[in-house]
Amino acid sequence: MDEISTLFGRVGETKLRDMVTAFYRRVRVDDLIGPMYPADDWEGAEKRLADFIVYRFGGPQTYIEERGHPRLRGRHLPFSIGEAERDRWMKLMGEALQEVEIPPTEAPVIAAFFGQVADMMRNRE
């Protein structure tokens, strides 16, 4: 198993879900990426991201059972995502990692994973 798929056991579901909650608290008031999120489905968006992270980090398969294959790039194609949006997403998620005190041994692993995913989501310069 790789480092990513065993994070669930090392960090725990509560801390991962708390990280997503802290992230969405920032997104809701963010002027750049906040408008990309559905104003009438904040709770749904938060649950989907939390379920995805829990699944990808080695936890329960709820995301797959409810949504199927992640198809992350395809699901994000309707949104214009460039460097500025990627960088803002990473900034807000980085702040969330710090807020919930992800262990210093695990935070760089999580941040590197998020960096790869955020780069993959870009669909314009």
Side-chain angles (χ1 to χ4, degrees):
M1 286 197 147
D2 62 272
E3 276 188 303
I4 299 297
S5 62
T6 58
L7 278 165
F8 180 83
R10 297 191 312 272
V11 175
E13 185 168 3
T14 299
K15 195 163 285 275
L16 293 174
R17 289 188 181 278
D18 288 349
M19 176 187 67
V20 173
T21 297
F23 169 73
Y24 270 94
R25 193 169 43 254
R26 289 164 170 79
V27 170
R28 283 180 189 246
V29 298
D30 187 77
D31 64 331
L32 182 61
I33 65 172
M36 292 183 191
Y37 289 80
D40 61 343
D41 191 29
W42 284 106
E43 291 78 18
E46 182 176 328
K47 179 187 182 321
R48 289 187 295 274
L49 179 58
D51 287 350
F52 170 74
I53 289 171
V54 164
Y55 146 73
R56 183 59 185 91
F57 291 178
Q61 304 266 316
T62 305
Y63 183 90
I64 296 297
E65 292 165 0
E66 292 180 358
R67 308 261 306 161
H69 188 281
R71 299 184 341 255
L72 295 180
R73 183 144 169 85
R75 292 182 198 267
H76 289 80
L77 277 176
F79 307 101
S80 180
I81 303 171
E83 282 187 47
E85 292 79 10
R86 177 208 55 202
D87 291 350
R88 183 71 56 88
W89 194 96
M90 290 296 297
K91 176 185 182 296
L92 300 180
M93 188 57 85
E95 291 172 358
L97 282 163
Q98 290 179 337
E99 178 183 323
V100 301
E101 299 178 344
I102 295 293
T105 54
E106 310 305 342
V109 176
I110 294 172
F113 171 77
F114 286 153
Q116 290 174 333
V117 172
D119 279 335
M120 184 179 72
M121 295 300 112
R122 287 184 52 207
N123 54 31
R124 67 174 176 77
E125 292 302 312

